[in-house]
Amino acid sequence: MDYNYSDDIKRRLRRIEGQVRGVLKMMDEQKNCKDVVAQLSAVRNASDKAIAQIVAENLQRCLLEEQATGGDTSKLVKEAVELLVKSR
């Protein structure tokens, strides 16, 4: 099964990459702990949203494929939920 990741998700990840570089710069500049943690929290939130988007897009595609073959989609939904839970 081929996975095609949208340009939107790639942009999100590049933004996260920039946020992480920003956090490292803040650390090099010995910025306040609260500010660093706030930025790391923003990175985590952005990462969580990216994970959710990837799982949702993939689940939608897998569900459509499974329905086309007359298969049971409940296993796919369960796997998607497990992925989301594991990511936290």
Side-chain angles (χ1 to χ4, degrees):
M1 179 181 296
D2 291 335
Y3 293 95
N4 295 314
Y5 299 101
S6 67
D7 288 339
D8 180 52
I9 195 65
K10 291 175 187 176
R11 274 190 299 277
R12 282 178 184 258
L13 293 176
R14 286 185 191 99
R15 218 172 10 253
I16 292 168
E17 180 182 31
Q19 286 177 300
V20 170
R21 274 193 245 105
V23 170
L24 289 169
K25 182 178 177 189
M26 290 174 72
M27 291 174 150
D28 288 341
E29 294 171 352
Q30 299 179 345
K31 297 290 182 179
N32 183 300
C33 162
K34 290 180 186 179
D35 296 336
V36 171
V37 170
Q39 288 304 309
L40 284 173
S41 180
V43 168
R44 179 175 54 199
N45 289 336
S47 177
D48 287 345
K49 287 180 182 179
I51 290 168
Q53 181 179 353
I54 290 169
V55 171
E57 288 176 2
N58 198 32
L59 176 61
Q60 182 179 20
R61 186 176 51 80
C62 290
L63 286 173
L64 292 173
E65 289 174 5
E66 193 69 20
Q67 286 174 338
T69 63
D72 180 19
T73 58
S74 62
K75 180 181 175 189
L76 294 172
V77 173
K78 183 180 178 195
E79 288 175 355
V81 170
E82 288 173 359
L83 273 174
L84 291 172
V85 169
K86 187 185 285 187
S87 72
R88 284 304 295 163

